Amino acid sequence: MSKAEETFVALVGDRIVHRTLAENATGIAACGLLRPSTIAALAGIAEESLALRRERTLLRFGNHHARLNHQKPLLAGRTRAADFLDGHSLQSWACQLDRRVFFWPGRAGTAFQASLDGAGAACDYRLDSRRFFRTFGDLIDLSPINSGSALRSPARRGDWIYVPAPRAESFRTNRRLRLGKQSADTVQEISLRADIPPELWSELLAPIGT
């Protein structure tokens, strides 16, 4: 195990979690885990038209469909975007979120549940974090915040909030050096700037019960 992989696993744990609506499971099994921007392209929809969506959105592509979650937690910051966004408008930040798929450390796998409440059954996928790191490397980013939420007093963010996994050793002090934050950060969110094809998806899934 490389030093970078060791640090990554120490920060996120042996397992990371992706949570989605259960109705998306069939499409994921067939097509892998796709970013909203990819699904939009397959459905013939401009990704910009999905940004800042207020409702969960059903997109059909081929014989499959995916229901994207709303972006209401980000919309909560629409009147004060300049106070917490660096180098982005609310629209452009929403677009870059849709070019990622998101995961949570195994210890915090239920953090996303509230945004799915009332939408029907949800399901969790647990991935082996070591295999995930070895497969995707510098396409993985770590964040100390839920980067898609601006509820209450939103934390300051820009592209710099995402620390690439190979530089995980700098993660805990990233905001301390940039913003003068006193305490060291912990990982609240893991994102991937790539789709996961079905053959890789099945290889990355951890055995049930682990």
Side-chain angles (χ1 to χ4, degrees), residues 3-181:
K3 177 64 174 176
E5 180 184 337
E6 184 179 341
T7 304
F8 175 76
V9 174
L11 286 169
V12 306
D14 293 331
R15 300 286 183 265
I16 60 174
V17 177
H18 175 76
R19 173 161 284 186
T20 189
L21 295 172
E23 68 175 286
N24 291 331
T26 300
I28 291 173
C31 304
L33 189 64
L34 305 178
R35 294 168 292 171
S37 59
T38 299
I39 295 171
L42 291 172
I45 302 295
E47 67 169 85
E48 292 81 6
S49 69
L50 294 174
L52 302 175
R53 52 191 175 274
R54 296 176 179 274
E55 306 295 337
R56 298 181 180 94
T57 302
L58 182 69
L59 295 182
R60 299 186 183 278
F61 54 103
N63 295 322
H64 304 288
H65 77 271
R67 191 175 299 276
L68 307 182
N69 202 22
H70 57 69
Q71 293 183 327
K72 288 179 181 178
L74 182 61
L75 276 163
R78 61 188 176 276
T79 61
R80 56 188 188 280
D83 295 334
F84 70 91
L85 282 177
D86 290 335
H88 278 274
S89 65
L90 207 64
Q91 172 89 9
S92 68
W93 190 256
C95 285
Q96 70 84 24
L97 293 172
D98 278 343
R99 298 181 196 122
R100 301 171 180 267
V101 285
F102 290 90
F103 306 84
W104 287 265
R107 66 180 181 277
T110 59
F112 189 57
Q113 180 58 55
S115 69
L116 295 180
D117 285 349
C123 63
D124 286 351
Y125 294 94
R126 286 176 169 79
L127 281 66
D128 182 289
S129 58
R130 290 175 176 82
R131 279 182 284 181
F132 185 71
F133 180 90
R134 292 170 190 171
T135 301
F136 291 106
D138 60 6
L139 293 174
I140 304 166
D141 290 326
L142 304 176
S143 172
I145 64 171
N146 178 342
S147 62
S149 177
L151 297 170
R152 293 181 286 279
S153 300
R156 191 148 199 93
R157 71 203 70 176
D159 293 333
W160 54 264
I161 200 72
Y162 300 115
V163 176
R167 301 206 305 270
E169 72 284 349
S170 67
F171 170 79
R172 287 174 60 80
T173 58
N174 183 41
R175 286 200 296 173
R176 179 185 293 175
L177 295 174
R178 181 175 287 271
L179 302 177
K181 186 176 181 290

